[in-house]
Short mmCIF file of all heavy atoms in Angstrom, two decimals:
data_model
loop_
_atom_site.label_atom_id
_atom_site.label_comp_id
_atom_site.label_asym_id
_atom_site.label_seq_id
_atom_site.Cartn_x
_atom_site.Cartn_y
_atom_site.Cartn_z
N ILE A 206 0.80 -1.20 -0.02
CA ILE A 206 0.03 -0.01 -0.04
C ILE A 206 0.86 1.19 0.02
O ILE A 206 1.82 1.36 0.86
CB ILE A 206 -0.90 -0.01 1.16
CG1 ILE A 206 -1.91 -1.17 1.09
CG2 ILE A 206 -1.68 1.32 1.27
CD1 ILE A 206 -2.70 -1.44 2.38
N PHE A 207 0.55 2.11 -0.91
CA PHE A 207 1.26 3.43 -0.97
C PHE A 207 0.19 4.53 -0.75
O PHE A 207 0.22 5.26 0.35
CB PHE A 207 1.91 3.68 -2.23
CG PHE A 207 2.75 4.96 -2.22
CD1 PHE A 207 3.75 5.16 -1.41
CD2 PHE A 207 2.44 5.94 -3.18
CE1 PHE A 207 4.57 6.34 -1.43
CE2 PHE A 207 3.12 7.09 -3.17
CZ PHE A 207 4.21 7.32 -2.31
N VAL A 208 -0.70 4.79 -1.61
CA VAL A 208 -1.73 5.75 -1.46
C VAL A 208 -3.07 5.15 -1.85
O VAL A 208 -3.21 4.76 -2.99
CB VAL A 208 -1.43 7.02 -2.36
CG1 VAL A 208 -2.65 8.04 -2.20
CG2 VAL A 208 -0.18 7.67 -1.92
N ILE A 209 -4.03 5.14 -0.88
CA ILE A 209 -5.44 4.74 -1.22
C ILE A 209 -6.25 6.02 -1.37
O ILE A 209 -6.26 6.83 -0.39
CB ILE A 209 -5.95 3.84 -0.04
CG1 ILE A 209 -5.18 2.46 -0.05
CG2 ILE A 209 -7.42 3.58 -0.39
CD1 ILE A 209 -5.64 1.56 1.05
N GLY A 210 -6.88 6.08 -2.42
CA GLY A 210 -7.77 7.22 -2.70
C GLY A 210 -9.11 6.97 -2.19
O GLY A 210 -9.42 6.44 -1.08
N ALA A 211 -10.11 7.25 -3.05
CA ALA A 211 -11.53 7.01 -2.58
C ALA A 211 -11.76 5.45 -2.43
O ALA A 211 -11.24 4.65 -3.06
CB ALA A 211 -12.46 7.62 -3.65
N MET A 212 -12.64 5.19 -1.53
CA MET A 212 -13.16 3.82 -1.32
C MET A 212 -14.65 3.83 -1.33
O MET A 212 -15.29 4.90 -1.12
CB MET A 212 -12.68 3.29 0.01
CG MET A 212 -11.10 3.39 0.15
SD MET A 212 -10.62 2.67 1.82
CE MET A 212 -10.72 0.89 1.46
N ALA A 213 -15.21 2.71 -1.69
CA ALA A 213 -16.61 2.61 -1.81
C ALA A 213 -17.10 1.24 -1.53
O ALA A 213 -16.40 0.23 -1.56
CB ALA A 213 -17.02 3.07 -3.23
N TRP A 214 -18.41 1.23 -1.19
CA TRP A 214 -19.10 -0.06 -1.09
C TRP A 214 -20.09 -0.18 -2.22
O TRP A 214 -20.88 0.83 -2.47
CB TRP A 214 -19.88 -0.11 0.26
CG TRP A 214 -18.99 -0.34 1.43
CD1 TRP A 214 -18.59 0.51 2.35
CD2 TRP A 214 -18.43 -1.62 1.84
NE1 TRP A 214 -17.72 -0.06 3.29
CE2 TRP A 214 -17.70 -1.39 3.01
CE3 TRP A 214 -18.56 -2.92 1.37
CZ2 TRP A 214 -16.99 -2.36 3.74
CZ3 TRP A 214 -17.81 -3.86 2.06
CH2 TRP A 214 -17.08 -3.65 3.24
N TYR A 215 -20.07 -1.28 -2.86
CA TYR A 215 -21.07 -1.64 -3.90
C TYR A 215 -21.81 -2.91 -3.44
O TYR A 215 -21.41 -3.63 -2.64
CB TYR A 215 -20.39 -1.91 -5.21
CG TYR A 215 -19.87 -0.72 -5.94
CD1 TYR A 215 -18.73 -0.09 -5.55
CD2 TYR A 215 -20.51 -0.21 -7.07
CE1 TYR A 215 -18.16 1.01 -6.17
CE2 TYR A 215 -19.97 0.90 -7.80
CZ TYR A 215 -18.90 1.50 -7.30
OH TYR A 215 -18.40 2.60 -7.99
N ARG A 216 -22.93 -3.15 -4.10
CA ARG A 216 -23.70 -4.40 -3.82
C ARG A 216 -24.29 -4.89 -5.04
O ARG A 216 -24.65 -4.09 -5.93
CB ARG A 216 -24.70 -4.14 -2.70
CG ARG A 216 -25.88 -3.25 -3.05
CD ARG A 216 -26.79 -3.07 -1.84
NE ARG A 216 -27.92 -2.24 -2.18
CZ ARG A 216 -28.79 -1.77 -1.32
NH1 ARG A 216 -28.64 -2.06 -0.04
NH2 ARG A 216 -29.87 -1.04 -1.71
N GLN A 217 -24.52 -6.22 -5.07
CA GLN A 217 -25.12 -6.74 -6.26
C GLN A 217 -26.13 -7.86 -5.74
O GLN A 217 -25.65 -8.87 -5.16
CB GLN A 217 -24.11 -7.41 -7.19
CG GLN A 217 -24.68 -7.88 -8.48
CD GLN A 217 -23.65 -8.22 -9.50
OE1 GLN A 217 -22.50 -8.35 -9.17
NE2 GLN A 217 -24.09 -8.16 -10.74
N ALA A 218 -27.36 -7.71 -6.09
CA ALA A 218 -28.39 -8.72 -5.72
C ALA A 218 -28.50 -9.64 -6.88
O ALA A 218 -28.20 -9.31 -7.99
CB ALA A 218 -29.70 -8.01 -5.42
N PRO A 219 -28.98 -10.84 -6.65
CA PRO A 219 -29.23 -11.80 -7.74
C PRO A 219 -30.06 -11.25 -8.84
O PRO A 219 -31.10 -10.72 -8.67
CB PRO A 219 -29.87 -13.04 -7.07
CG PRO A 219 -29.42 -12.92 -5.65
CD PRO A 219 -29.35 -11.45 -5.39
N GLY A 220 -29.56 -11.33 -10.12
CA GLY A 220 -30.39 -10.85 -11.26
C GLY A 220 -30.25 -9.36 -11.45
O GLY A 220 -30.95 -8.85 -12.33
N LYS A 221 -29.53 -8.68 -10.66
CA LYS A 221 -29.46 -7.21 -10.74
C LYS A 221 -28.03 -6.69 -11.01
O LYS A 221 -27.05 -7.45 -10.80
CB LYS A 221 -29.97 -6.55 -9.48
CG LYS A 221 -31.45 -6.75 -9.19
CD LYS A 221 -31.92 -5.95 -7.96
CE LYS A 221 -33.37 -6.16 -7.73
NZ LYS A 221 -33.85 -5.45 -6.54
N GLN A 222 -27.91 -5.51 -11.49
CA GLN A 222 -26.67 -4.90 -11.80
C GLN A 222 -25.99 -4.44 -10.45
O GLN A 222 -26.65 -4.19 -9.44
CB GLN A 222 -26.78 -3.71 -12.66
CG GLN A 222 -27.27 -3.98 -14.07
CD GLN A 222 -26.26 -4.76 -14.88
OE1 GLN A 222 -25.10 -4.60 -14.74
NE2 GLN A 222 -26.75 -5.55 -15.83
N ARG A 223 -24.70 -4.46 -10.48
CA ARG A 223 -23.96 -3.98 -9.25
C ARG A 223 -24.26 -2.46 -9.17
O ARG A 223 -24.24 -1.68 -10.13
CB ARG A 223 -22.42 -4.17 -9.42
CG ARG A 223 -21.61 -3.81 -8.19
CD ARG A 223 -20.21 -4.26 -8.41
NE ARG A 223 -20.10 -5.73 -8.51
CZ ARG A 223 -18.96 -6.36 -8.55
NH1 ARG A 223 -17.76 -5.76 -8.47
NH2 ARG A 223 -18.93 -7.67 -8.69
N GLU A 224 -24.53 -2.04 -7.95
CA GLU A 224 -24.84 -0.67 -7.75
C GLU A 224 -23.97 -0.03 -6.59
O GLU A 224 -23.51 -0.72 -5.66
CB GLU A 224 -26.28 -0.49 -7.35
CG GLU A 224 -26.72 -1.12 -6.03
CD GLU A 224 -28.15 -0.84 -5.69
OE1 GLU A 224 -28.69 0.14 -6.15
OE2 GLU A 224 -28.66 -1.52 -4.73
N LEU A 225 -23.74 1.23 -6.74
CA LEU A 225 -22.96 1.89 -5.69
C LEU A 225 -23.88 2.13 -4.43
O LEU A 225 -24.97 2.67 -4.54
CB LEU A 225 -22.47 3.27 -6.25
CG LEU A 225 -21.83 4.21 -5.27
CD1 LEU A 225 -20.44 3.56 -4.80
CD2 LEU A 225 -21.57 5.55 -5.88
N VAL A 226 -23.36 1.77 -3.35
CA VAL A 226 -24.08 1.99 -2.03
C VAL A 226 -23.55 3.21 -1.35
O VAL A 226 -24.43 4.10 -0.92
CB VAL A 226 -23.86 0.82 -1.15
CG1 VAL A 226 -24.54 0.97 0.21
CG2 VAL A 226 -24.38 -0.49 -1.74
N ALA A 227 -22.24 3.40 -1.21
CA ALA A 227 -21.74 4.52 -0.48
C ALA A 227 -20.35 4.70 -0.94
O ALA A 227 -19.58 3.75 -1.24
CB ALA A 227 -21.83 4.35 1.03
N ARG A 228 -19.89 5.92 -0.84
CA ARG A 228 -18.40 6.26 -1.26
C ARG A 228 -17.90 7.22 -0.25
O ARG A 228 -18.53 8.06 0.29
CB ARG A 228 -18.52 6.85 -2.67
CG ARG A 228 -17.11 7.33 -3.25
CD ARG A 228 -17.30 7.81 -4.60
NE ARG A 228 -16.03 8.29 -5.19
CZ ARG A 228 -15.54 9.58 -5.03
NH1 ARG A 228 -16.22 10.48 -4.40
NH2 ARG A 228 -14.38 9.83 -5.51
N ILE A 229 -16.64 7.08 -0.07
CA ILE A 229 -15.93 7.99 0.87
C ILE A 229 -14.58 8.33 0.32
O ILE A 229 -13.79 7.40 -0.11
CB ILE A 229 -15.81 7.39 2.34
CG1 ILE A 229 -15.22 8.37 3.25
CG2 ILE A 229 -14.99 6.09 2.28
CD1 ILE A 229 -15.30 7.98 4.68
N THR A 230 -14.20 9.56 0.28
CA THR A 230 -12.92 9.98 -0.15
C THR A 230 -11.86 9.84 0.86
O THR A 230 -12.16 9.55 2.03
CB THR A 230 -12.97 11.43 -0.61
OG1 THR A 230 -13.24 12.33 0.47
CG2 THR A 230 -14.08 11.65 -1.69
N SER A 231 -10.61 10.17 0.52
CA SER A 231 -9.53 9.93 1.50
C SER A 231 -9.61 10.99 2.63
O SER A 231 -9.10 10.67 3.71
CB SER A 231 -8.12 10.21 0.78
OG SER A 231 -8.05 11.37 0.14
N ASP A 232 -10.27 12.07 2.47
CA ASP A 232 -10.43 13.07 3.47
C ASP A 232 -11.83 13.02 4.11
O ASP A 232 -12.12 13.90 4.89
CB ASP A 232 -10.11 14.50 3.05
CG ASP A 232 -11.03 14.87 1.85
OD1 ASP A 232 -11.91 14.18 1.46
OD2 ASP A 232 -10.84 16.14 1.33
N GLY A 233 -12.55 12.06 3.78
CA GLY A 233 -13.89 11.79 4.54
C GLY A 233 -15.15 12.26 4.01
O GLY A 233 -16.14 12.13 4.62
N SER A 234 -15.09 12.82 2.76
CA SER A 234 -16.34 13.31 2.13
C SER A 234 -17.09 12.04 1.71
O SER A 234 -16.53 11.04 1.21
CB SER A 234 -15.98 14.10 0.92
OG SER A 234 -17.18 14.57 0.30
N THR A 235 -18.45 11.98 1.95
CA THR A 235 -19.23 10.89 1.70
C THR A 235 -20.38 11.09 0.72
O THR A 235 -20.85 12.13 0.55
CB THR A 235 -19.77 10.26 2.97
OG1 THR A 235 -20.65 11.29 3.55
CG2 THR A 235 -18.66 9.90 3.91
N ASN A 236 -20.79 10.01 -0.02
CA ASN A 236 -22.00 9.99 -0.81
C ASN A 236 -22.72 8.73 -0.58
O ASN A 236 -22.05 7.68 -0.34
CB ASN A 236 -21.62 10.09 -2.31
CG ASN A 236 -20.93 11.43 -2.64
OD1 ASN A 236 -19.66 11.40 -2.74
ND2 ASN A 236 -21.69 12.45 -2.79
N TYR A 237 -24.06 8.70 -0.68
CA TYR A 237 -24.82 7.56 -0.44
C TYR A 237 -25.91 7.43 -1.52
O TYR A 237 -26.41 8.39 -2.06
CB TYR A 237 -25.57 7.63 0.91
CG TYR A 237 -24.68 7.63 2.09
CD1 TYR A 237 -24.24 8.85 2.62
CD2 TYR A 237 -24.26 6.48 2.78
CE1 TYR A 237 -23.40 8.91 3.73
CE2 TYR A 237 -23.40 6.55 3.85
CZ TYR A 237 -23.01 7.70 4.34
OH TYR A 237 -22.18 7.62 5.40
N ALA A 238 -26.22 6.12 -1.85
CA ALA A 238 -27.34 5.92 -2.61
C ALA A 238 -28.60 6.33 -1.83
O ALA A 238 -28.66 6.24 -0.68
CB ALA A 238 -27.46 4.45 -3.00
N ASP A 239 -29.57 6.78 -2.68
CA ASP A 239 -30.80 7.26 -2.00
C ASP A 239 -31.54 6.21 -1.19
O ASP A 239 -32.16 6.46 -0.15
CB ASP A 239 -31.83 7.80 -3.11
CG ASP A 239 -31.38 9.05 -3.62
OD1 ASP A 239 -30.54 9.79 -3.00
OD2 ASP A 239 -31.91 9.41 -4.78
N SER A 240 -31.35 4.93 -1.64
CA SER A 240 -32.01 3.81 -0.95
C SER A 240 -31.47 3.51 0.38
O SER A 240 -32.14 2.79 1.16
CB SER A 240 -31.90 2.56 -1.79
OG SER A 240 -30.58 2.23 -2.12
N VAL A 241 -30.27 3.95 0.67
CA VAL A 241 -29.66 3.67 1.97
C VAL A 241 -29.43 4.88 2.86
O VAL A 241 -28.96 4.82 3.98
CB VAL A 241 -28.33 2.87 1.85
CG1 VAL A 241 -28.54 1.67 0.90
CG2 VAL A 241 -27.28 3.77 1.26
N LYS A 242 -29.65 6.04 2.26
CA LYS A 242 -29.38 7.37 3.01
C LYS A 242 -30.20 7.41 4.31
O LYS A 242 -31.43 7.10 4.25
CB LYS A 242 -29.76 8.52 2.05
CG LYS A 242 -29.13 9.88 2.47
CD LYS A 242 -29.38 10.90 1.39
CE LYS A 242 -28.67 10.45 0.04
NZ LYS A 242 -28.81 11.41 -1.02
N GLY A 243 -29.56 7.78 5.30
CA GLY A 243 -30.14 7.77 6.68
C GLY A 243 -30.11 6.44 7.38
O GLY A 243 -30.38 6.45 8.59
N ARG A 244 -29.79 5.33 6.75
CA ARG A 244 -29.72 4.07 7.35
C ARG A 244 -28.29 3.53 7.44
O ARG A 244 -27.93 2.81 8.39
CB ARG A 244 -30.64 3.09 6.59
CG ARG A 244 -32.04 3.44 6.57
CD ARG A 244 -32.93 2.25 6.07
NE ARG A 244 -32.51 2.03 4.65
CZ ARG A 244 -32.07 0.79 4.21
NH1 ARG A 244 -31.96 -0.17 5.14
NH2 ARG A 244 -31.87 0.64 2.95
N PHE A 245 -27.48 3.82 6.43
CA PHE A 245 -26.07 3.29 6.38
C PHE A 245 -25.18 4.46 6.65
O PHE A 245 -25.41 5.57 6.21
CB PHE A 245 -25.82 2.73 4.96
CG PHE A 245 -26.55 1.46 4.64
CD1 PHE A 245 -27.51 0.96 5.41
CD2 PHE A 245 -26.13 0.72 3.55
CE1 PHE A 245 -28.22 -0.19 5.18
CE2 PHE A 245 -26.85 -0.46 3.25
CZ PHE A 245 -27.81 -0.87 4.01
N THR A 246 -24.02 4.10 7.18
CA THR A 246 -22.97 5.05 7.39
C THR A 246 -21.62 4.49 6.96
O THR A 246 -21.26 3.45 7.51
CB THR A 246 -22.92 5.50 8.90
OG1 THR A 246 -24.19 6.05 9.30
CG2 THR A 246 -21.72 6.56 9.03
#
């Protein structure tokens, strides 16, 4: 490991496309899918 930039969680349900769940930058900025906003951190 040298430099890790943004990290993210994706998920894939059977028969569905992989989707972005949440993303976090190296300095802590976050984004969430609407479906998990308020429930996931």
Side-chain angles (χ1 to χ4, degrees):
I206 297 172
F207 184 64
V208 175
I209 296 178
M212 303 181 76
W214 288 99
Y215 287 75
R216 68 185 181 187
Q217 187 167 22
K221 296 184 177 180
Q222 298 289 332
R223 185 173 299 186
E224 65 173 344
L225 176 66
V226 177
R228 178 180 179 270
I229 184 167
T230 66
S231 59
D232 60 0
S234 179
T235 60
N236 299 100
Y237 296 92
D239 289 341
S240 59
V241 307
K242 198 170 299 181
R244 300 187 298 119
F245 291 10
T246 302

